[in-house]
Amino acid sequence: MTSYLSHLECTICGAEYPSDRLSGVSPCCGKVLYARYDLPRIRAEVDRDRLAERTPNMWRFAELLPVDDPDNIVTLGEGGTPLMELKNLEQALGVSNLYVKEEGLNPTGTFKARGIAAAISKGLELGATGFTMPSAGNAAGAAAAYCARAGLSAKLNLVDGLIGDAGRQAVAVAQEQGLFDLSTLKEPYRAEGKKSMGLELAMQFGWRMPEAIIYPAGGGTGIIGMHKGFLELLELGWIKGDLPKFIAVQAEGCQPIVKAFHEGKDTAEPWPNATTVADGLRVPGPFADYLMLHAIRDTGGTALAVSDADMIAAMYELATAEGIFACPEGAATLVGYKRLIAEGFLRKDETTVLFNTGSGYKYLQLIEGVKG
Ligand SMILES: *Cc1c(COP(=O)(O)O)cnc(C)c1O
Ligand SMILES: [Zn+2]
């Protein structure tokens, strides 16, 4: 079980770079670098059906993750989250084949654990001595936990502003103190960890893909990573067929991708005065906008925005109907699903996966009668 990482590749111009040194954005275009693997060799040497026998965390996909030496893996058991059919909601809504991928069960309570585990492990393998990142909370919580796990210390700087303001500080701190900047998609490793959500989903469906994935999109790592992962699985011949429609749900108060998608644009303009209770969706100017928009269009998906009030109502709905305490971001996907069924964009029997990206326990301030 070792990585088949072969090189890094610029997502704009295709220029290739060696994968044996710590890398951020592409030197040629200043945009996202993708990790690339020796897929023909994996195809020849790895038996897909053996993966299910491995320890059920994201490292069961080690061949398709960037860490070379298993001893360098910093883990808290991330991944291996359940895929559950929502039988009660199916009955209530008159639909079938509706699932949730429950990422709230990850260490630190969100799917952010996957990307941070991959990036910190790979960063340390390539000589990083410390890390920095801007965060609305969930990513930094994961980063602090994985740094502690790696024996590093973590320090929190509160920034009065939005994530872009924190991002500028992160760049300055990285330069000053020689830290590796983990800003969303400004390094190639976090997306690889997020990719494991898609690999897992394919495995859990018996090496098939669902027909639609509804995902609460902020910085875009989930959609971009899963799209990349499915393309790798197709190239490996481990799955066949059409990619699932990628459907991005954003908040009404911060919907740059929804706007760009419906205007037919390839990039998004920064959303002014972004506000939403869904911290993970408060990303007014996602760096990887072009990759998110590509994944949505390439798969025949769509993008829509929901209100904070609807998200919170859906948190209660998921909790009472299914016993799933979702974060507002995750609950937003149920709101989106119902609207797309009503509009006829999705068929009532279309195999659809809602992503609950985090636990409602991280958002107790939104629950009536609970002191946050
Ligand atoms: C960060 C975050 C998101 C958005 O993540 P991306 O995959 O980067 O778009 C969604 N939900 C939660 C709970 C988050 O923390
Ligand atoms: Zn380039």
Side-chain angles (χ1 to χ4, degrees), residues 178-262:
L179 304 176
F180 185 55
D181 184 2
L182 296 175
S183 294
T184 302
L185 288 156
K186 292 190 177 168
E187 48 72 34
Y189 319 114
R190 267 176 78 191
E192 295 303 296
K194 306 292 178 69
K195 176 179 90 178
S196 67
M197 296 191 290
L199 306 181
E200 241 170 56
L201 207 53
M203 195 180 80
Q204 287 171 312
F205 275 117
W207 298 106
R208 291 209 323 264
M209 289 175 284
E211 288 168 283
I213 288 178
I214 309 189
Y215 191 91
T221 51
I223 287 183
I224 292 165
M226 283 195 280
H227 182 250
K228 179 175 186 286
F230 287 137
L231 290 176
E232 289 169 0
L233 292 180
L234 281 168
E235 205 171 321
L236 285 171
W238 289 8
I239 53 173
K240 292 194 288 287
D242 292 330
L243 290 171
K245 299 183 190 99
F246 276 101
I247 297 163
V249 175
Q250 297 203 298
E252 278 180 0
C254 182
Q255 44 168 314
I257 295 299
V258 178
K259 180 164 185 279
F261 175 78
H262 291 289

Side-chain angles (χ1 to χ4, degrees), residues 110-112 138-139 184 190 194 197 215-223 279-281 283 292 327 329-330 357-359 363:
T110 74
F111 81 107
K112 291 286 196 303
N138 290 334
T184 302
R190 267 176 78 191
K194 306 292 178 69
M197 296 191 290
Y215 191 91
T221 51
I223 287 183
D279 300 318
L281 305 187
V283 186
M292 234 187 304
C327 59
E329 295 87 341
T357 42
S359 168
Y363 298 81

Side-chain angles (χ1 to χ4, degrees), residues 279-364:
D279 300 318
L281 305 187
R282 214 182 304 113
V283 186
F287 180 66
D289 50 357
Y290 63 108
L291 293 175
M292 234 187 304
L293 287 160
H294 169 72
I296 297 166
R297 291 211 178 93
D298 180 48
T299 59
T302 188
L304 69 167
V306 310
S307 72
D308 281 12
D310 284 351
M311 285 182 215
I312 294 171
M315 288 172 76
Y316 282 89
E317 192 177 352
L318 271 163
T320 49
E322 300 283 0
I324 293 169
F325 190 26
C327 59
E329 295 87 341
T333 64
L334 175 60
V335 182
Y337 175 75
K338 289 201 270 188
R339 198 181 304 160
L340 293 172
I341 289 286
E343 288 171 0
F345 183 88
L346 289 175
R347 293 188 327 269
K348 288 187 169 178
D349 64 348
E350 203 151 347
T351 305
T352 303
V353 177
L354 310 181
F355 263 84
N356 179 36
T357 42
S359 168
Y361 287 113
K362 299 204 95 176
Y363 298 81
L364 287 178

